[in-house]
Amino acid sequence: MATFLYKLGRLAFRRRHFVALIWVALLTLAGVGAASAPPAGTTSFSIPGTEAQKAFDLLEQRFPGQSADGATARVVFKAPSGEKMTDAGNKATVEKTVDELADGSEVASVADPYTGKAVSKDGTIAYASVRYDVSGMELEESTKHALEDAAEQARDAGLTVEVGGDALQAVPETGATEIIGIAVAAVVLVITFGSLVAAGLPLLTALIGVGIGVSSITALASALELGSTTSILAMMIGLAVGIDYALFIVSRYRAELAEGREREDAAGRAVGTAGSAVVFAGLTVVIALVGLAVVNIPMLTKMGIAAAGTVAIAVLIALTMIPALLGYAGRRVKPAGAKGGLLSRRRRDDKDGSTEPWKETGPAKANLGTRWASFVVRRPLAVLLLGVIGLGAAAIPASDLELGLPDDGSQPTSTTQRRAYDLLSEGFGPGFNGPLLVVVDAKGSDAPKDAFTQVSDEIKGLDGVVAVTPPAPNKGGDTATISVIPDSKPSSVQTEDLVHAIRDAGGDIKAGTGAETLVTGSTAMNIDVSEKLNDALLPYLVLVVGLAFLLLIVVFRSILVPLKAALGFLLSVMAALGAVVAVFQWGWLSGLMGVEETGPVMSMMPIFMVGVVFGLAMDYEVFLVTRMREAYVHGEKPSQAVVTGFKHGARVVTAAAVIMMAVFAGFIGSSEAMVKMIGFGLAIAVFFDAFVVRMAIVPAVLALLGKKAWWLPKWLDRALPNVDVEGEGLRTADERGSGPDEDRELVRT
């Protein structure tokens, strides 16, 4: 591995014009594809294997032409104080609004509040239901403007009017904080390298990689039904890992220059050593993201594969474009330790006429990483206990974790969707915003009408039911729908219990009548998604951690080091989930994070965090511990190898973690609740994992284990392939005195 990447790095350095041209061409091609691609259509949210999805599919089959997946809107009217919606003037305004809405070209139907019994008992609130032929993302702007204009005209007449539903669904925005995150990353890079040129390389390559990835996603969005959230998450993860991977290679390149190597050889060795760590770190991220497919939720699978593709591009760019750009930069990228344009060390001229520093002699002042590692090695048990107890305390709120999916009730109070939600709750009760749709399939029943009536009567007798509409059969008379209004809000435990109670009652009804009862609707779908994600979490964790564990055994040639890495990850992800619960569910620091409404944590948050955080956690594990492994392989004692690893890697890992936190935190400003929550969760998880687990717990455990940390059974040692992440093959060639030409032909035996 190291030898192949060494040759690749030197080749990219020499053929930099060709390499740069390829990546610019790919970026241009992806950009043209994105610009010429048709607009993204509807994002199908199907949940195979769930009852809600089965009922939804049955509706499309038995009730054709009703646009089951079409957009909906609820135009909610509230009368002025002291008036009622049944007053002649207010009634005329509503009827005029209904007539205007019905004229739309994409409107399938509009329900008049007065004929559809959609006026509250006290007469102060009414609503008109609008159904469209196409989904919310496919609605033309003129249709949305017509809906907004109709609402505005009713407001001018003196009514309070708000619009709920997905008809006004907007593409989520990330806000200015995303730019701030990139700016913070730039500042950290400048501080780390002390050079604008060296700092600019990781940013440039990361932006190119993200540009290719996001443009490709945009180009394929319509064909693959990719949602807007997919590209945002791909951008989030792609930026973070792209900057980090390039940072590690540029840092190693500067270290090789400080050893006195000529630039082409330094680029090759940087790619051969740090690049090997990048490959395996990238593989762990890709495994974690692609592994989301085991959940069997198409939307989540697409998100994972799209983000994994962006990570793969980031790895390839780091291995090829970084050495090419280093070739262009020449002497503007200084060796490690050099300040400004003047070096305090002796110089020599190499064959291409550039000046290179000799390896500095004499004792050097210990850096902060060395001093910290020395402290941990002296007091490993105290550091270990403090780190574990601290993360355990942060994880305590996770015991109160409640899962759900966002609805209009989780929107900011400044939005018309949220205000419509609140008005409906005020006028018709909290359960009105989450009606349950019961589908009765009586095709196998001898008396379908009797079955419909029995289901309706059974549901009316259940606790927690406010209203049940009469069964509405299809033209064939073999299927009917029944709307059920709970007395609790959609995201409550009481509503979830009611869904299960209806399904349990349906089992008894089927035994007596032969009719099957299915519960669907957005509320039931959310409940099914949460349960499906909970059931998939353990198998997913076993799969991803198991595959990465095997990969890390190959990388580190150890059993205990990968085991320690996996256990450390569990600590950091539980602590991060605890922080998410504290902010988004309990409301701690919610104002600072821009969280206007607290509530259940999104159902996919735990499994998504497990996947992404595991991949990112292994990044730091690979980058930091490979340096320790390298020192140990080269003859240092275990405790000294820990210190050496921190001497060379702590500064860079710290910078990488700060950059990743800044990039993720930049997405907290998103208008999309899911993106905001994931941005915060990943940022705090990186903090816990990088600074507590990898910087404190890892060296403490390695110091306590000593040589046992690198133990591997002999039979397994013989069976495993030797990937040479430490670059031992390159070191061997150097020790036997081969020059640059011989290095190019080096073949690992």
Side-chain angles (χ1 to χ4, degrees):
M1 171 74 73
T3 302
F4 169 76
L5 293 178
Y6 170 78
K7 293 178 181 179
L8 179 64
R10 295 192 68 156
L11 178 65
F13 188 96
R14 291 195 304 272
R15 306 294 184 188
R16 45 188 172 271
H17 304 307
F18 181 69
V19 172
L21 181 62
I22 289 177
W23 284 112
V24 171
L26 289 174
L27 179 61
T28 303
L29 184 64
V32 170
S36 59
T42 179
T43 303
S44 60
F45 187 73
S46 60
I47 315 295
T50 61
E51 180 175 314
Q53 185 63 44
K54 182 179 178 181
F56 185 82
D57 295 338
L58 185 65
L59 284 174
E60 290 190 326
Q61 177 186 349
R62 304 284 176 85
F63 293 83
Q66 289 196 8
S67 303
D69 60 345
T72 59
R74 276 179 171 176
V75 183
V76 187
F77 307 90
K78 183 176 183 179
S81 179
E83 299 181 16
K84 294 184 180 295
M85 290 305 305
T86 51
D87 294 346
N90 294 334
K91 186 175 181 179
T93 300
V94 172
E95 290 176 340
K96 180 182 178 181
T97 303
V98 169
D99 291 339
E100 291 177 354
L101 291 172
D103 291 337
S105 59
E106 294 180 310
V107 175
S109 64
V110 181
D112 188 302
Y114 301 102
T115 60
K117 299 180 180 180
V119 181
S120 63
K121 290 181 179 180
D122 61 4
T124 59
I125 297 175
Y127 71 91
S129 295
V130 187
R131 182 171 292 278
Y132 295 88
D133 292 321
V134 296
S135 69
M137 297 301 292
E138 293 176 309
L139 281 178
E140 295 181 0
E141 288 300 317
S142 59
T143 301
K144 295 182 179 181
H145 290 320
L147 177 60
E148 292 171 338
D149 291 343
E152 190 60 38
Q153 290 178 21
R155 290 190 189 103
D156 294 340
L159 298 178
T160 298
V161 185
E162 304 296 344
V163 183
D166 61 350
L168 296 181
Q169 181 178 358
V171 176
E173 300 175 355
T174 55
T177 51
E178 176 189 348
I179 306 300
I180 296 175
I182 296 176
V184 171
V187 172
V188 173
L189 287 169
V190 171
I191 294 173
T192 302
F193 291 135
S195 163
L196 289 175
V197 174
L201 296 183
L203 279 176
L204 176 62
T205 55
L207 290 173
I208 290 174
V210 167
I212 294 173
V214 173
S215 297
S216 300
I217 292 171
T218 304
L220 298 172
S222 178
L224 301 181
E225 296 183 347
L226 302 177
S228 55
T229 305
T230 302
S231 59
I232 292 178
L233 294 177
M235 180 191 303
M236 181 192 304
I237 297 171
L239 270 177
V241 301
I243 294 174
D244 276 9
Y245 293 165
L247 165 65
F248 280 103
I249 291 180
V250 173
S251 178
R252 187 60 183 253
Y253 171 76
R254 296 176 70 238
E256 295 293 338
L257 288 181
E259 293 290 327
R261 306 190 191 282
E262 52 106 0
R263 293 190 178 273
E264 182 179 327
D265 186 46
R269 290 176 181 274
V271 175
T273 51
S276 297
V278 165
V279 169
F280 283 100
L283 273 176
T284 59
V285 180
V286 169
I287 288 173
L289 291 171
V290 174
L292 291 170
V294 303
V295 183
N296 196 25
I297 295 180
M299 184 187 74
L300 197 58
T301 300
K302 292 173 184 177
M303 288 168 54
I305 293 175
T310 307
V311 172
I313 293 172
V315 172
L316 292 175
I317 282 186
L319 298 178
T320 56
M321 196 169 186
I322 281 293
L325 293 180
L326 289 173
Y328 283 119
R331 285 177 287 176
R332 287 185 289 274
V333 176
K334 307 297 182 183
K339 296 182 180 179
L342 300 174
L343 298 178
S344 60
R345 4 180 142 191
R346 294 180 295 160
R347 297 178 177 271
R348 66 176 175 85
D349 291 331
D350 60 15
K351 295 179 181 178
D352 64 3
S354 64
T355 55
E356 300 289 350
W358 286 102
K359 183 177 180 181
E360 194 169 17
T361 59
K365 182 180 178 181
N367 60 23
L368 182 60
T370 302
R371 296 196 297 272
W372 169 250
S374 300
F375 170 79
V376 174
V377 167
R378 289 196 304 270
R379 298 175 178 83
L381 188 58
V383 172
L384 176 61
L385 291 175
L386 186 62
V388 171
I389 292 172
L391 291 178
I396 290 175
S399 62
D400 191 38
L401 177 66
E402 295 179 8
L403 298 177
L405 287 177
D407 54 18
D408 285 347
S410 62
Q411 296 269 12
T413 53
S414 58
T415 63
T416 186
Q417 292 95 331
R418 171 59 188 279
R419 292 196 291 264
Y421 180 98
D422 292 340
L423 284 176
L424 288 172
S425 296
E426 177 187 341
F428 301 92
F432 195 79
N433 283 292
L436 306 176
L437 184 61
V438 178
V439 182
V440 185
D441 180 7
K443 196 169 187 178
S445 175
D446 296 331
K449 291 184 178 180
D450 292 341
F452 300 155
T453 303
Q454 184 175 346
V455 171
S456 179
D457 293 341
E458 189 74 25
I459 294 174
K460 288 178 181 177
L462 296 175
D463 294 335
V465 175
V466 172
V468 178
T469 63
N474 64 344
K475 291 181 180 180
D478 58 2
T479 308
T481 59
I482 302 171
S483 292
V484 180
I485 307 299
D487 66 359
S488 52
K489 63 181 183 179
S491 59
S492 67
V493 176
Q494 292 83 354
T495 301
E496 183 178 348
D497 292 339
L498 177 60
V499 169
H500 291 303
I502 296 174
R503 289 172 174 172
D504 292 341
D508 297 333
I509 294 171
K510 184 176 182 180
T513 66
E516 184 176 12
T517 303
L518 305 171
V519 185
T520 188
S522 59
T523 300
M525 184 72 82
N526 290 349
I527 292 170
D528 286 352
V529 170
S530 299
E531 293 179 351
K532 190 177 182 68
L533 288 167
N534 284 338
D535 293 342
L537 183 58
L538 184 59
Y540 173 72
L541 192 62
V542 171
L543 173 68
V544 172
V545 175
L547 288 176
F549 180 76
L550 296 176
L551 185 65
L552 292 178
I553 288 177
V554 174
V555 174
F556 296 126
R557 307 194 75 78
S558 164
I559 298 292
L560 296 179
V561 170
L563 180 61
K564 172 263 309 169
L567 294 177
F569 150 74
L570 291 176
L571 280 173
S572 57
V573 79
M574 288 303 298
L577 277 175
V580 169
V581 170
V583 173
F584 291 88
Q585 188 175 311
W586 290 0
W588 294 4
L589 302 178
S590 57
L592 181 63
M593 298 297 166
V595 180
E596 294 189 26
E597 184 70 21
T598 60
V601 174
M602 273 173 293
S603 302
M604 61 182 66
M605 187 68 186
I607 201 164
F608 192 84
M609 277 191 63
V610 165
V612 177
V613 174
F614 182 78
L616 300 179
M618 294 307 103
D619 280 2
Y620 301 115
E621 181 75 15
V622 170
F623 289 134
L624 191 60
V625 180
T626 47
R627 272 291 199 170
M628 301 177 190
R629 168 77 182 172
E630 185 177 342
Y632 179 75
V633 167
H634 293 164
E636 292 189 8
K637 294 181 179 180
S639 58
Q640 184 57 40
V642 171
V643 176
T644 301
F646 268 77
K647 174 184 177 183
H648 295 293
R651 178 184 176 90
V652 181
V653 168
T654 300
V658 172
I659 289 170
M660 198 171 278
M661 288 167 55
V663 172
F664 287 150
F667 288 84
I668 296 176
S670 173
S671 62
E672 178 71 27
M674 177 178 175
V675 176
K676 180 190 291 287
M677 190 178 293
I678 289 178
F680 171 80
L682 294 183
I684 197 69
V686 168
F687 171 78
F688 287 143
D689 196 85
F691 294 106
V692 181
V693 175
R694 310 304 154 188
M695 290 290 186
I697 294 178
V698 165
V701 171
L702 290 177
L704 288 171
L705 291 176
K707 291 184 178 180
K708 296 177 182 177
W710 308 107
W711 171 80
L712 187 69
K714 292 183 179 180
W715 64 268
L716 185 56
D717 187 42
R718 291 191 297 268
L720 292 177
N722 192 343
V723 295
D724 189 23
V725 178
E726 304 85 11
E728 184 64 19
L730 303 180
R731 175 184 170 90
T732 303
D734 186 61
E735 287 176 345
R736 69 172 181 251
S738 64
D741 293 335
E742 290 79 0
D743 282 348
R744 293 191 189 99
E745 303 301 323
L746 178 63
V747 178
R748 182 168 179 78
T749 57

